[in-house]
């Protein structure tokens, strides 16, 4: 999937940020400053790229709408392609960078997106459109409350009375020495998580992974657990709550899914941290590293982990293609294209 990014020169920084964020999401973006080769006819390259693109993102701002230049020709070419598409088709994505108001009648008929005041929210909305071929009716899923057995009070034997003691021994009943009752320590909950990969469709995902769909159409855990992390000092973290050992950081760069499997194989060949049973985590395992709130490292994960990796492959595949991922930048679970690039955080079972 190729996505053309049109922008005014004054907005190039935002365009570049969007370009690289889309690339990390496994999508193939196209913009002139990144993709036109030295010596190439730039006008021909732009026209060809627009024709070959599945989507056209028009970054609209006070700069681009008030400016004369090639950006206006790009918009015109894209709108001409849109006119040839079915009414229900989506190709042209007008995205505002500020509180501008397009006067072109064709632009006014299309629902706009915004990368302000929240870039993150706007970017999520764009990804939602770019992955719309996966759109499906998702059944409501309500979390089931587990039945908690009632605690029974321990039976206490009554003490013998003083008269009973005197009757038995003929002596005065001694005052017993009372030892302070030790306070029971709270038992930390243990979790047994699925480690075998599964294939799940988008319709099944919410229930299979115990997720909920939030207002931004991202999927978040229905529950968060109390982890019990220990830094082993050898590049690994152990979670005593789940009996899982994790890489503290992960792969040094984002890689595609095939490369992720090679990376795991290499960890085992080199006996990373002394072990040869490293593997890709399941969604169930990786999602329980998520925290409900963003942490001091800017991610939805305990700062004990490395902060340079944010979005990870899992071993669970999607029925209609792709692989499920866990994103610690937004604290969500969703699927990714096989050709996309994500990080790897390997895991192994301690028990």
């Amino acid at each position: 999937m190729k996505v053309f990014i049109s922008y005014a020169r004054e907005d190039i920084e935002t365009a570049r940020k969007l370009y690289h964020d889309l690339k990390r999401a496994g999508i193939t973006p196209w913009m002139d400053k990144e993709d036109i080769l030295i010596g190439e006819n730039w006008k021909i390259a732009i026209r060809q790229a627009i024709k070959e693109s599945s989507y056209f993102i028009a970054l609209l701002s006070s700069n681009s709408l008030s400016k004369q230049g090639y950006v206006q020709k790009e918009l015109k070419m894209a709108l001409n392609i849109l006119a040839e598409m079915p009414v229900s088709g989506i190709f042209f994505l007008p995205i505002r960078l500020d509180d501008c108001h397009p006067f072109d009648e064709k632009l006014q008929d299309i629902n706009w997106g915004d990368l302000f005041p929240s870039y993150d929210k706007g970017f999520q909305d764009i990804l939602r459109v770019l992955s719309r071929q996966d759109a499906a009716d998702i059944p409501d899923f309500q979390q089931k409350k587990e039945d908690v057995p009632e605690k029974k009070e321990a039976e206490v034997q009554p003490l013998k009375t003083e008269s009973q003691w005197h009757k038995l021994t003929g002596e005065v009943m001694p005052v017993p020495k009372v030892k302070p009752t030790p306070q029971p320590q709270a038992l930390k909950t243990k979790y047994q998580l699925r480690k075998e990969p599964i294939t799940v469709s988008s319709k099944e995902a919410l229930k299979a992974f115990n997720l909920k769909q939030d207002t931004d159409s991202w999927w978040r855990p229905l529950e968060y657990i109390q982890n019990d992390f220990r830094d082993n000092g050898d590049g690994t973290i152990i979670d005593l709550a789940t009996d899982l050992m994790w890489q503290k950081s992960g792969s040094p760069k984002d890689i595609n899914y095939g490369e992720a499997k090679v990376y795991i194989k290499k960890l085992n060949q080199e006996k990373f941290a002394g072990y040869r049973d490293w593997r890709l985590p399941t969604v169930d395992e990786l999602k329980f590293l998520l925290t409900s709130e963003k942490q001091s490292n800017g991610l939805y994960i305990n700062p004990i982990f490395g902060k340079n990796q944010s979005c990870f492959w899992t071993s669970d595949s999607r029925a209609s293609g792709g692989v499920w991922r866990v994103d610690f930048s937004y604290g969500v679970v969703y699927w990714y294209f096989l050709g996309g690039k994500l990080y790897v955080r390997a895991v192994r079972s301690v028990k």
Side-chain angles (χ1 to χ4, degrees):
M1 175 195 300
K2 180 184 288 187
V3 178
F4 188 98
I5 300 176
S6 175
Y7 62 98
R9 291 293 174 262
E10 294 84 351
D11 302 320
I12 190 170
E13 292 305 318
T14 303
R16 278 198 168 120
K17 176 175 175 55
L18 178 62
Y19 177 93
H20 291 294
D21 285 345
L22 289 174
K23 206 165 189 177
R24 279 191 289 269
I27 295 165
T28 304
W30 195 99
M31 63 180 286
D32 54 1
K33 288 297 183 182
E34 297 289 340
D35 293 291
I36 295 180
L37 301 176
I38 295 175
E40 192 173 7
N41 185 310
W42 60 271
K43 290 184 178 180
I44 295 176
I46 288 175
R47 286 198 296 269
Q48 188 64 27
I50 292 175
K51 291 178 181 179
E52 294 175 352
S53 294
S54 302
Y55 294 96
F56 180 98
I57 294 180
L59 297 182
L60 305 178
S61 68
S62 302
N63 295 319
S64 64
L65 294 178
S66 62
K67 180 178 180 180
Q68 292 184 350
Y70 206 80
V71 65
Q72 301 299 337
K73 291 186 178 181
E74 292 175 357
L75 295 177
K76 186 176 180 180
M77 279 188 278
L79 289 171
N80 287 338
I81 293 174
L82 179 65
E84 298 174 2
M85 294 183 63
V87 176
S88 59
I90 295 180
F91 168 72
F92 191 99
L93 276 63
I95 307 296
R96 298 192 307 167
L97 304 184
D98 57 32
D99 193 21
C100 60
H101 295 281
F103 295 103
D104 190 297
E105 184 177 347
K106 293 179 181 178
L107 290 178
Q108 293 179 3
D109 290 340
I110 304 173
N111 191 34
W112 308 335
D114 292 331
L115 285 179
F116 79 99
S118 170
Y119 175 90
D120 289 345
K121 165 93 170 46
F123 182 67
Q124 291 175 18
D125 291 340
I126 292 172
L127 283 185
R128 182 184 178 189
V129 175
L130 300 186
S131 60
R132 66 189 297 269
Q133 64 266 30
D134 181 56
D137 294 330
I138 301 173
D140 292 333
F141 179 71
Q142 297 180 347
Q143 183 181 19
K144 295 180 180 179
K145 297 182 179 179
E146 296 181 357
D147 294 331
V148 180
E150 295 182 0
K151 295 182 178 179
K152 295 183 179 180
E153 297 291 337
E155 295 183 1
V156 180
Q157 296 293 331
L159 294 174
K160 296 181 183 298
T161 64
E162 186 173 351
S163 60
Q164 289 175 323
W165 179 270
H166 185 271
K167 198 171 186 178
L168 284 171
T169 64
E171 299 175 357
V172 177
M173 183 177 182
V175 178
K177 293 181 179 180
V178 180
K179 294 182 180 180
T181 304
Q183 295 297 318
Q185 293 184 348
L187 294 176
K188 292 185 178 179
T189 305
K190 285 278 191 177
Y191 299 87
Q192 291 186 342
L193 306 180
R194 174 181 57 83
K195 66 179 182 179
E196 297 299 328
I198 59 175
T199 299
V200 178
S201 70
S202 295
K203 279 189 175 182
E204 299 166 334
L206 289 179
K207 185 173 182 179
F209 300 142
N210 205 25
L211 305 172
K212 63 181 177 181
Q213 188 172 14
D214 70 10
T215 54
D216 294 330
S217 298
W218 291 96
W219 301 351
R220 301 183 187 276
L222 273 170
E223 65 172 326
Y224 297 87
I225 69 170
Q226 185 65 46
N227 302 98
D228 189 5
F229 295 126
R230 300 287 187 275
D231 191 332
N232 296 322
D234 59 357
T236 67
I237 302 290
I238 190 169
D239 183 5
L240 298 178
T242 59
D243 288 327
L244 293 176
M245 182 181 291
W246 295 90
Q247 280 185 292
K248 184 173 183 177
S249 54
S251 58
K253 63 178 183 178
D254 50 352
I255 52 183
N256 64 42
Y257 196 64
E259 293 169 331
K261 292 184 176 180
V262 173
Y263 176 79
I264 292 291
K265 185 177 180 179
K266 187 176 180 181
L267 286 182
N268 290 321
Q269 289 174 341
E270 296 176 352
K271 206 174 180 181
F272 174 68
Y275 301 99
R276 295 183 184 275
D277 56 350
W278 296 100
R279 54 185 170 79
L280 281 174
T282 64
V283 169
D284 289 6
E285 292 171 323
L286 197 54
K287 77 168 185 179
F288 275 140
L289 294 185
L290 286 170
T291 56
S292 58
E293 301 292 336
K294 188 174 287 189
Q295 304 299 298
S296 59
N297 54 9
L299 301 173
Y300 288 82
I301 191 173
N302 191 302
I304 196 172
F305 288 92
K307 65 178 182 179
N308 294 326
Q309 296 87 358
S310 58
C311 192
F312 297 92
W313 292 112
T314 75
S315 59
D316 293 327
S317 57
R318 175 170 158 266
S320 55
V323 176
W324 295 96
R325 73 176 189 240
V326 178
D327 190 332
F328 292 87
S329 293
Y330 302 108
V332 298
V333 177
Y334 207 55
W335 67 273
Y336 245 44
F337 305 95
L338 282 172
K341 291 189 176 183
L342 302 175
Y343 291 98
V344 175
R345 175 162 285 149
V347 69
R348 59 176 296 271
S349 300
V350 177
K351 293 183 179 179

